[in-house]
Structure formats: structure tokens, C-alpha cells
Amino acid sequence: MKSNFNKRLLVVVLVLSMVLSSFAFAFAAEDSDTLELTILHTNDIHGRIVEDRFDGMGFARIDALVREFREDRENVLLLDAGDTVHGQPYATIPEGESIITIMNEIGYDYMVAGNHDFNYGYQRLIELEEMADFPIFAGNVVYEATGEPIIEKEYDVIEYGDIQIGIFGLATPETLFKSHPAGTAGLEFLNPVTYAQGMMDHFDDEYDLDFVISLAHLGIDESTKYEERSSGVATEVDGIDLIVDGHSHSFLEGGRMYGDTMVVQVEDYGKHLGVVEVVFDGEDISITSGAVLKEEAMERFPDEDALPLWATISEIMAEVDEQLSEVIGENKIYLNGEREYVRAGETNLGNLLTDAMRDASEADIAFSNGGGIRASIDVGDITKGDVASVLPFGNALVTLEITGQEMIDALEIGASDYPEPKGAFLQISGASYEIDTSAEYGERIKNVMVDDEPIDLEKSYLVATNDFVAAGGDGYELFAEMELVTELHALDEVVITYIQELGVVEMDTEGRITEYEEADDPVDDEDDPVDDEDDPVDDEDEDEEPIPQTGDQSPYVMLFLLSSGMIVLLIKRTVKA
């Protein structure tokens, strides 16, 4: 009995072993068909290399987060959607090389060229692409003369085991007017929808891809032409699974679906690190999108200077600080940029800055909010660092078309609290205006002159300002929905160039902004030819009978008295005789 029981038990164990082995094999086979890919992404950093309360988390924290993901995940892809190598002085002084150095150390895999990445000129962009350890895509940007792309590598195919992923870039045609035109002379920007469709046709012909990513700097703003938006590309071109986007500075939390395509974007300045999780499970693919927010990164890594990338960043900052000491001109008069002055009246520094803006943009009028001016410039040598201190926010010069009435509306916003200081107060060039302190908001601006002529309320004027004001900042919502005419260089670059051209600065106030004084009612000489001061008649007594004037009769009275006296004297003498 025991022997038979043992045999039966052995058979059962063998069967169970075979069943369990088959399950293990099945699970192993299923696991081998599953692949997880983490796509990390940034966009529109605009040269912000360190954390600032108005900006993002800084590259050191981005690097620390990327390191964590790479330690925890097997497959990680790091992408940047452009407008990265230009913005603040630590980017602009070395013409983008500092940013490429940082991105190389972090280990970016791919980038697409944004419109402001052309600000140094496309030749410099090509040089930066050669410095980078990763491709910078700009496939739809070609030479007008030849039709050849300015950067040879238009796409790539990445393999993760049996999974093949295609990736290509799309640059915005708005670069032609949203960067300095000189930087794109001789170039053509191909229609993004047409180019993307051609790229998908090429992928279909040459590869058997499982997933396609478009790394785009197009944005989703409705002011952009439909076929030049990421949403337009996603809708019109089949087969693109994911568009990692930039340009519109949108925060698409959780991603946004257009048909079968997910579009992701994480605002600007490195405020967030985008995280897209893609799971390949056999023929099924799932995509989820999220982000690590600045607040979370600050909590996890409170000390920026204790992080691994800080040594590289501090070295770059020291090198740039040395370059910022370069003298660019001489100042003869103290340039007043103090808060209580630039926010409450005309200052000579406000005049200098807006003159530089008008000169660079060839606008009719230039204006800038006093809140954007953060320091004064002393008499003596002017350095690049002085200008960077005055304009620390990395704002860009932009132009708009507005009417004379809209110009007055903007001046009303700036002068609403006058004479109390206000960040929105407008320094101005090419125009002058008066502020009536006795009037209510909406009626305070008087006597606006443009080029020595009264402003025409119906006429359209080309105006230059900074991108903060143009986007509706400081209460200028009337500009927020307007389409930009051009986007030019960073403001600090504009001012540095202008000072270099002047050589010697002797800027003073010129009466561009003054207080309105109501004139006294003039006297009508034709109706009242007599000066009040010389008129002995009191106006209040005009209806009374006039007092007779007798002064003219006095000579006759005197003659009569003399004659009478002589007669009396003759009579006395006659009597005595």
C-alpha cells in the first residue's frame, strides 16, 4: 500500500511541476513581450540655468531627477522641445555654448530647434549642434537655394529589444518673424503637416516601427496657423503616437489627445520635468503623461549647490561673470533705475532703454514697464553686468500693431495709480504724454504726441515692448490676444548693442512724461478791451449809476477864484484913496 501511494504521489508532483513550469514559461513569455519606456521632457527653458522664484527648478535639480529615473528604470529617453540655448546672460554671453555643455552632462538624447535658438543666427545653431552629444533636429528648415536641410540628421530610429521607435523634429515657421530676421536669411521653413506626412511615408517604406515620436516646437496657440500647430499636425497626419511639444508655453497636464496622438508640454523655464510612461504589451500600447513639479523637486532637493551638476554650473557662471565685466561704454550722468522713480515718472534710464528698443525694432513707439527695470547705472564705465543687473529677467523685445486709442488705453493702465509707484508704469520713446492727477482712471492721459504730432486714435502704430507686457503682464490684458509682428533679441542684448554704438551715454530726462496742468480761461480782448487791473470800475457795480467825473473843470474854477480875488483887492485900494 505504501509503495503504491508513493508512486501516485510522485506522479502528482511531476504533473504539478509540469503545469507550474508551463505557467512559468507562459508568464516568462508574456514578460518578454512587455517593455516599459519612460520619456522625460523639457521645453522653453530660455537659458534659465539656476532656480529663481520667478522661473524653474534649475538644471541641477533636473539633472538630479533624471539620475533618479535612470537608476530606477531600464529604458529612459530624455528630450527637449526647444527655445533652450538663448535667454538670460549665462546663455547669451557665450552664445548658447554654456547650455549645450550642461545638456551634454545631463545626458539629453534629442532636441529640436526652437525659434529663439536661431537668435544667434542659423550658422551658430549649426555650430551648437556639432558641439552637442545629441542630435538637434530641424529637418523642415532648408536652404532656399538648394532645398537641403540645414542640419543633416532629420530623424533617428531607436531600438529597445524588438521594439523600434522612430523620432523626428518639427521647427516652427513662425521663426521667420519670431526671431531676428537676420538669423534666418536664406532659409525656408517647410509646412509642418506636409513635412510630417512625408516623414511618416518614409518610415512606412523603410521601417517596421512600433511607435513614432515627433519632437516639435510648434505649440497649440490658436493665433498660430492651423497647419503650423502641433494640434494641426496631430489631427492631419496619421501614425504619430506622441508629440513632445514646446513654443506655446502650455502646461498640458496629463497630455492632450488629438485623434490617436497625445501632445505633451510642460509650460516653460524648467518649472516642471515632463514624464511620459509608454508600455508595450504585445500589440497593445498604453501611454500616460504626468510631471514632476518644481515644488516637489525643491522639497526633494532643497540645496541646489549640493547636487552633482552644481560644479559644472558654478564654473560656467564664474566664466560668464568674468565676461560680464567687459566695458561697453562710458556713462556721464547717473542713470536712475530706482524703484520709486521708474514706477512713477520719466527717468533717464527709462529713456535709454526704450530708445534702444525703438532703435532695434524700427518701431514708431517703444515702451517698457517700470517694474522690469531693477537697478541704476552709476557714472563711469558701463559693463555688460550693469545691463544684466538692470534687466535680469531675460525678457525679449517684441513688436505689435496697435491703434492710437489702444496706446492711450495702455498709458491709462500704467498711470492709474500715479503719483503712487506702480510696476506697470510705462517708460516711453517716440512719444510723450501728460497725466491729469485730478481725473479718474480712463480720463487721466492727455496730450499724447507721436513724433511731435497729436496721436491719431484710428491710426495703426508699430510699437515695441518686452514679451512680458505683450503677453498681458502687469495688467496689460489688452495685448494678450494680439498677434506679435516680430520677436527679436533679448532686451539685455539690445541695450548692450545700443550702448556700444553710442560709446558715451549722456542721457537726461526730456519731458516725455509730465503732469497735466489745466490752463486758466483766457480773456477775450475784443469783448473787454480794458485790463481788469487798470479798470477802476468794480465788475459787481456795472449796473449802478456812474459817478460823475469833475476833474476836467478844475482850471476854470481856479481862474474864477483868482479873478475874484483881484477884483476885491482893487475895490479896497479905491476905497482907501
Side-chain angles (χ1 to χ4, degrees):
M1 290 288 294
K2 186 175 181 180
S3 176
N4 289 337
F5 174 78
N6 288 339
K7 287 180 181 180
R8 287 196 296 271
L9 181 60
L10 178 60
V11 171
V12 171
V13 171
L14 288 172
V15 170
L16 286 173
S17 298
M18 292 175 64
V19 171
L20 292 173
S21 297
S22 64
F23 274 116
F25 179 80
F27 281 121
E30 185 176 347
D31 287 342
S32 66
D33 289 341
T34 301
L35 182 135
E36 295 180 356
L37 172 64
T38 300
I39 301 170
L40 307 176
H41 59 99
T42 55
N43 61 273
D44 296 280
I45 289 178
H46 288 276
R48 269 69 170 177
I49 69 172
V50 295
E51 185 272 331
D52 183 83
R53 66 191 182 101
F54 297 110
D55 297 328
M57 65 180 75
F59 270 123
R61 290 186 178 87
I62 290 174
D63 174 68
L65 291 171
V66 171
R67 288 171 184 263
E68 282 192 349
F69 276 103
R70 285 175 172 155
E71 288 175 2
D72 294 341
R73 316 288 174 87
E74 184 177 354
N75 304 304
V76 176
L77 198 59
L78 179 58
L79 311 177
D80 182 82
D83 271 6
T84 308
V85 301
H86 186 275
Q88 292 193 327
Y90 289 121
T92 58
I93 297 296
E95 294 191 326
E97 183 175 356
S98 55
I99 305 300
I100 295 299
T101 298
I102 290 171
M103 295 177 75
N104 282 342
E105 186 153 339
I106 295 174
Y108 273 83
D109 294 298
Y110 299 95
M111 173 183 162
V112 68
N115 51 300
H116 288 297
D117 298 320
F118 286 85
N119 277 6
Y120 309 117
Y122 74 85
Q123 299 90 342
R124 179 58 174 173
L125 176 61
I126 294 171
E127 293 174 357
L128 294 174
E129 201 275 339
E130 292 171 351
M131 295 177 194
D133 295 338
F134 50 89
I136 299 178
F137 291 134
N140 64 317
V141 185
V142 301
Y143 295 105
E144 279 183 324
T146 65
E148 294 296 316
I150 63 169
I151 294 176
E152 184 177 354
K153 192 175 185 67
E154 297 184 54
Y155 69 91
D156 204 359
V157 174
I158 315 161
E159 295 185 356
Y160 295 98
D162 294 333
I163 303 297
Q164 287 192 328
I165 298 173
I167 183 169
F168 69 97
L170 292 169
T172 176
E174 291 186 335
T175 303
L176 293 172
F177 60 89
K178 288 190 174 180
S179 69
H180 198 289
T184 55
L187 302 184
E188 179 183 0
F189 284 71
L190 303 179
N191 180 292
V193 167
T194 304
Y195 179 82
Q197 187 59 64
M199 186 59 63
M200 294 305 298
D201 292 342
H202 176 73
F203 282 156
D204 289 341
D205 292 341
E206 300 295 329
Y207 302 96
D208 183 20
L209 299 179
D210 300 281
F211 197 80
V212 175
I213 303 169
S214 177
L215 185 54
H217 192 83
L218 299 178
I220 59 172
D221 281 346
E222 292 189 2
S223 61
T224 299
K225 294 178 181 177
Y226 174 70
E227 292 194 343
E228 296 179 2
R229 300 179 218 156
S230 285
S231 50
V233 173
T235 303
E236 299 298 326
V237 182
D238 292 333
I240 302 175
D241 298 286
L242 176 68
I243 297 180
V244 176
D245 195 22
H247 190 47
S248 58
H249 295 221
S250 310
F251 186 25
L252 304 181
E253 192 170 6
R256 184 174 296 177
M257 297 300 299
Y258 295 92
D260 295 328
T261 304
M262 177 179 283
V263 178
V264 296
Q265 193 177 157
V266 283
E267 206 169 354
D268 50 26
Y269 305 148
K271 292 173 183 171
H272 321 298
L273 177 65
V275 183
V276 177
E277 301 284 7
V278 185
V279 178
F280 300 89
D281 187 1
E283 295 183 358
D284 295 328
I285 300 174
S286 65
I287 310 174
T288 56
S289 173
V292 180
L293 306 185
K294 175 183 177 179
E295 293 75 13
E296 182 181 350
M298 296 284 287
E299 289 178 5
R300 290 166 66 179
F301 308 108
D303 298 320
E304 189 175 27
D305 56 1
L307 298 174
L309 190 64
W310 187 254
T312 299
I313 291 174
S314 59
E315 183 178 341
I316 287 171
M317 292 172 67
E319 292 174 359
V320 174
D321 286 341
E322 185 174 346
Q323 294 179 63
L324 288 172
S325 65
E326 178 186 341
V327 174
I328 57 173
E330 181 185 0
N331 184 32
K332 294 289 190 179
I333 303 173
Y334 173 79
L335 295 172
N336 188 353
E338 297 307 306
R339 178 189 181 95
E340 62 269 28
Y341 292 99
V342 294
R343 298 173 182 231
E346 176 190 357
T347 76
N348 56 353
L349 181 55
N351 290 349
L352 177 69
L353 299 182
T354 52
D355 283 355
M357 294 162 65
R358 190 161 64 98
D359 178 75
S361 63
E362 299 182 350
D364 300 310
I365 306 168
F367 51 84
S368 190
N369 59 316
I373 301 172
R374 311 299 282 195
S376 300
I377 299 179
D378 288 323
V379 173
D381 290 339
I382 306 173
T383 66
K384 290 182 177 179
D386 290 330
V387 176
S389 296
V390 171
L391 302 168
F393 300 119
N395 293 119
L397 177 63
V398 301
T399 60
L400 299 161
E401 287 276 359
I402 68 172
T403 65
Q405 182 60 60
E406 288 168 334
M407 184 69 249
I408 291 177
D409 293 342
L411 294 173
E412 286 283 354
I413 293 170
S416 62
D417 291 354
Y418 182 86
E420 293 300 315
K422 182 179 182 180
F425 188 89
L426 291 181
Q427 303 291 322
I428 200 163
S429 174
S432 62
Y433 64 98
E434 298 176 3
I435 305 170
D436 185 353
T437 57
S438 66
E440 297 294 325
Y441 170 69
E443 301 291 336
R444 310 194 92 199
I445 300 303
K446 302 285 196 296
N447 300 327
V448 180
M449 306 291 286
V450 180
D451 197 21
D452 296 326
E453 295 289 336
I455 195 167
D456 185 335
L457 300 184
E458 303 298 326
K459 182 179 176 180
S460 181
Y461 293 93
L462 180 67
V463 300
T465 187
N466 62 64
D467 56 354
F468 172 73
V469 170
D474 261 351
Y476 289 100
E477 286 87 359
L478 79 163
F479 298 138
E481 300 303 319
M482 294 184 183
E483 187 171 349
L484 298 180
V485 176
T486 55
E487 288 187 38
L488 302 168
H489 288 305
L491 269 184
D492 61 325
E493 291 180 285
V494 169
V495 175
I496 286 170
T497 300
Y498 187 69
I499 292 173
Q500 287 173 326
E501 291 173 353
L502 290 177
V504 177
V505 176
E506 295 185 77
M507 182 65 65
D508 207 343
T509 54
E510 302 172 351
R512 299 180 188 184
I513 308 169
T514 55
E515 286 192 14
Y516 172 75
E517 294 183 4
E518 189 171 358
D520 293 334
D521 291 336
V523 175
D524 190 338
D525 293 334
E526 294 181 0
D527 295 337
D528 187 6
V530 181
D531 191 331
D532 289 343
E533 292 181 0
D534 298 328
D535 189 352
V537 179
D538 191 334
D539 292 340
E540 295 180 1
D541 300 327
E542 286 180 355
D543 295 331
E544 296 179 10
E545 289 293 323
I547 299 173
Q549 301 294 319
T550 60
D552 292 338
Q553 301 171 13
S554 57
Y556 300 102
V557 172
M558 293 296 295
L559 181 60
F560 172 76
L561 293 173
L562 287 172
S563 300
S564 300
M566 291 179 67
I567 292 170
V568 170
L569 183 61
L570 287 171
I571 292 171
K572 286 183 178 182
R573 286 182 178 180
T574 302
V575 171
K576 289 181 179 180

